[in-house]
Amino acid sequence: EAHKMVREANVKQANAEKQLKEALGKIDVLQAEVQALKTLVLSSPTSPVAELPSAGATKTPFKKGHSRNKSTSSAMLGTQPDPTATQPIVRECREVDSQLFSEFKAWKEAPTLDRSCSFLERVYREDIFPCLTFNKSELGSAILEAVEQNTLSVEPVGFQPLPVVKASAVECGGPKKCALSGQTKTCKHRIKFGDSSSYYYISPFCRYRITAVCNFFTYIRYIHQGLVKQQDAEQMFWEVMQLRREMSFAKLGYYKDQL
């Protein structure tokens, strides 16, 4: 009887493990399909819904709040139809700037991390310097130097107690005060330089500005080291423009917060 019960338990356990494995496999497939759909939607120039033909002249999409039939509302207003019906579809377009592209191609022929070359000098002047300009200017300069040397660490703030550091509270900030802006903000990340034991708490906005610059340097280092081989010059150029765009958004106050 005991052996019988053990066998039944083993059979049930094996079936449960098999079902769990199948379920995990289905979840992986579904997640891959969702990611592919997201990529497809984000890469399309216009929304798929906007391109669908109208099903009928009298049908209008349902909107939250008060709404009328288009013909009725036009009759009540007495004159003009809905102006939104004639607005063109706006889609994002892009065109290679010949001067920027020529500077990038000249840099790509002999890639260097020296900021004095025309390509990097422009990026420093127009994007990097404004993006890393903070109220605490000395700390901002130290961050730029660490980013250039690839010695800056950005990590999320854990719940464990942090070691006591030598720097003052004003310099390091705290979980509720950003060390770069000096403002009272909830700081979800902290930075440190190299092997230093001193941490500096930073707000989500400052973190996004720093990581936008770090992403740019990471990509140009890949090009400098010859690791980007499957892209032509124009593809690399647009990747650089996308990274510059992220820095421009960050310096203007737009950022993505990690919840």
Side-chain angles (χ1 to χ4, degrees):
E1 188 69 16
H3 285 299
K4 181 180 178 181
M5 294 175 62
V6 170
R7 283 196 301 271
E8 291 177 352
N10 290 336
V11 170
K12 290 181 179 179
Q13 182 180 0
N15 290 333
E17 290 176 352
K18 181 181 178 181
Q19 293 176 357
L20 176 61
K21 186 176 180 181
E22 292 175 352
L24 292 176
K26 291 179 180 178
I27 291 174
D28 291 337
V29 172
L30 291 174
Q31 288 178 343
E33 292 176 353
V34 169
Q35 186 62 35
L37 288 173
K38 286 182 179 180
T39 304
L40 180 62
V41 171
L42 292 176
S43 62
S44 61
T46 56
S47 174
V49 178
E51 297 178 355
L52 293 177
S54 176
T58 60
K59 293 183 179 180
T60 56
F62 177 77
K63 297 182 179 179
K64 185 178 180 181
H66 184 66
S67 178
R68 300 192 195 96
N69 181 277
K70 186 182 297 184
S71 59
T72 305
S73 61
S74 300
M76 293 180 66
L77 291 175
T79 53
Q80 300 177 356
D82 186 2
T84 58
T86 58
Q87 290 183 355
I89 298 174
V90 179
R91 60 181 181 180
E92 186 180 50
C93 300
R94 65 184 189 181
E95 182 176 346
V96 174
D97 185 289
S98 58
Q99 183 176 357
L100 296 180
F101 190 46
S102 62
E103 291 177 354
F104 174 75
K105 286 197 299 183
W107 174 83
K108 181 179 173 296
E109 293 299 324
T112 177
L113 300 180
D114 184 4
R115 66 172 70 176
S116 62
C117 69
S118 59
F119 164 65
L120 287 182
E121 190 275 332
R122 177 189 294 273
V123 178
Y124 268 90
R125 183 181 71 253
E126 297 179 357
D127 301 312
I128 296 175
F129 286 145
C131 201
L132 294 184
T133 299
F134 301 101
N135 291 340
K136 306 296 182 180
S137 58
E138 293 184 1
L139 184 56
S141 299
I143 289 175
L144 175 55
E145 183 179 353
V147 171
E148 291 173 331
Q149 298 175 359
N150 201 19
T151 58
L152 183 72
S153 299
V154 182
E155 60 184 41
V157 176
F159 295 99
Q160 69 276 9
L162 300 176
V164 178
V165 295
K166 297 180 180 179
S168 65
V170 176
E171 292 176 339
C172 286
K176 298 296 183 180
K177 185 174 183 180
C178 178
L180 281 168
S181 65
Q183 298 178 345
T184 302
K185 300 287 185 180
T186 300
C187 300
K188 303 177 182 179
H189 290 80
R190 61 185 185 179
I191 61 173
K192 71 171 185 175
F193 304 104
D195 297 330
S196 173
S197 60
S198 298
Y199 289 95
Y200 297 87
Y201 291 85
I202 56 174
S203 63
F205 171 48
C206 293
R207 171 195 167 270
Y208 191 73
R209 292 169 68 172
I210 294 172
T211 53
V213 176
C214 289
N215 291 338
F216 172 79
F217 273 98
T218 298
Y219 187 68
I220 64 171
R221 284 195 192 99
Y222 287 162
I223 299 177
H224 179 256
Q225 296 169 3
L227 300 178
V228 184
K229 300 182 181 298
Q230 297 181 352
Q231 293 181 332
D232 57 24
E234 186 170 343
Q235 289 176 319
M236 293 182 187
F237 172 78
W238 282 118
E239 184 66 28
V240 168
M241 292 302 105
Q242 178 63 31
L243 295 170
R244 292 191 62 185
R245 181 180 183 177
E246 292 294 327
M247 289 190 286
S248 298
F249 280 1
K251 71 184 180 184
L252 292 176
Y254 297 95
Y255 68 96
K256 300 173 184 177
D257 193 7
Q258 288 186 352
L259 301 178

